[in-house]
Amino acid sequence: MEIQSSDKVIDVLSIDKMVKSFGKKRAVDELSMKIGAGEAVAFIGQNGAGKSTTMRAIAGLTKIDSGSVSIMGQDVATNPIEARKHLGYVSQDLALYQYLTGEEFLTLAGRIREVAPDEMASSIEFLLDLCDLKDVRHRMIREYSGGMARKMAMAGALIGKPKLVVLDESFVGLDPESTFKIGNYLRTYVESGRSILMSSHILEMLHGLCTRFFILHHGKCVADVSRSEIDEICQSEETPNMTAYYLKMTGQSALIEAFRQRKSQALCGQVE
């Protein structure tokens, strides 16, 4: 679903022929994608596929070589302030204000996102509860554990309910309880018409949370499929699950066959 402004349809996120190179290596190779309202999109790919580079470009932290990136119709390069008003972003390498308390950090994030003053306190209280951070709200972030800092970053990305939330490996290091609670909230977040783009190497978790799957390989899109399409594809013997489908689309099906042969040999007593 796309958002309409007057009679014009606006994508929550639009990337058009994006190119980004680091030296001679092309990290992202003419990538194009659109995300509409109410979509939870999984970004899948091996390390170095271009996921984090693309996410940093969406957040305006990486300057692209060519192409364009826009959020709610606002170009990230030419109108970054307006674009970022609609964005919540958690980077793989966290960058938080270490000498703010958790509550101060959320207050700052809320002001940047123009949360109404009469809604600020209740929004902060809700997010602290969601992320199990009430007990450390008055401690400086530099005193947080890695998991606590990651949850605080996610709370900061969600305050003000931005139209697009980008989560780069944001569930790494989270305890099962927090993963469950935040995951359930993200489902309701998408159902309310907002959108999420998230990366993770935990494919089963992505399958449970996301409605669409975008696979990157060497900076190019090799698959863009819905969850219903994935479920239908994964009924076959060749691709019985998400991992098998991913390996097939990235030209690595030989890994599965090698595993099957080794397993068969082990059952026959040929492998110690």
Side-chain angles (χ1 to χ4, degrees):
M1 180 173 67
E2 297 159 314
I3 294 176
Q4 294 190 7
S5 176
S6 301
D7 57 350
K8 183 180 179 181
V9 176
I10 300 176
D11 295 298
V12 174
L13 174 68
S14 177
I15 300 176
D16 185 41
K17 296 181 178 178
M18 172 183 160
V19 174
K20 177 60 183 178
S21 298
F22 296 98
K24 294 182 179 180
K25 178 178 173 54
R26 181 166 286 195
V28 183
D29 192 1
E30 295 196 355
L31 180 68
S32 295
M33 69 180 300
K34 294 182 184 294
I35 296 178
E39 285 195 292
V41 181
F43 228 12
I44 304 172
Q46 64 189 147
N47 295 334
K51 305 185 303 298
S52 292
T53 299
T54 301
M55 289 174 154
R56 286 180 59 82
I58 293 169
L61 300 176
T62 292
K63 183 179 180 181
I64 62 177
D65 300 332
S66 61
S68 64
V69 181
S70 61
I71 302 170
M72 295 298 298
Q74 302 294 331
D75 189 279
V76 170
T78 60
N79 204 358
I81 294 176
E82 289 302 314
R84 285 185 65 96
K85 284 181 181 179
H86 305 289
L87 174 70
Y89 169 65
V90 179
S91 64
Q92 187 173 13
D93 301 316
L94 296 181
L96 299 172
Y97 294 99
Q98 298 293 307
Y99 289 91
L100 292 180
T101 67
E103 188 168 328
E104 288 170 342
F105 171 74
L106 290 180
T107 300
L108 174 62
R111 287 174 178 169
I112 291 171
R113 209 159 288 133
E114 300 181 345
V115 174
D118 60 342
E119 297 176 2
M120 184 74 78
S122 61
S123 296
I124 291 174
E125 203 67 26
F126 171 80
L127 290 166
L128 289 171
D129 181 59
L130 173 71
C131 297
D132 293 322
L133 293 170
K134 279 189 171 184
D135 292 343
V136 295
R137 65 195 303 161
H138 298 305
R139 284 170 54 184
M140 282 191 284
I141 291 174
R142 68 185 179 92
E143 300 173 358
Y144 285 12
S145 68
M148 290 161 57
R150 193 161 292 279
K151 288 190 289 185
M152 181 55 70
M154 293 180 76
L158 291 166
I159 195 166
K161 298 181 179 179
K163 295 292 185 183
L164 176 66
V165 174
V166 174
L167 305 173
D168 189 2
E169 295 288 347
S170 298
F171 283 85
V172 172
L174 264 60
D175 55 78
E177 295 84 357
S178 294
T179 299
F180 178 78
K181 286 178 64 177
I182 297 172
N184 279 337
Y185 177 69
L186 292 178
R187 289 188 186 93
T188 64
Y189 197 83
V190 171
E191 289 169 1
S192 72
R194 293 168 177 82
S195 305
I196 296 170
L197 175 64
M198 61 183 297
S199 69
S200 175
H201 294 303
I202 309 172
L203 301 188
E204 293 77 10
M205 182 190 72
L206 291 178
H207 182 265
L209 283 176
C210 296
T211 55
R212 186 172 150 211
F213 303 85
F214 198 94
I215 299 178
L216 280 182
H217 191 55
H218 297 314
K220 289 181 175 290
C221 172
V222 295
D224 182 2
V225 295
S226 67
R227 182 160 56 198
S228 60
E229 289 173 314
I230 282 285
D231 290 342
E232 184 175 345
I233 290 168
C234 290
Q235 292 178 10
S236 70
E237 183 177 346
E238 183 184 3
T239 53
N241 51 47
M242 276 284 297
T243 299
Y245 176 70
Y246 163 73
L247 292 173
K248 177 184 177 181
M249 296 310 297
T250 55
Q252 302 176 86
S253 296
L255 288 175
I256 298 177
E257 187 57 34
F259 172 77
R260 286 173 177 166
Q261 289 179 5
R262 188 170 180 83
K263 183 178 179 181
S264 177
Q265 291 171 356
L267 293 172
C268 295
Q270 298 177 25
V271 177
E272 296 182 358

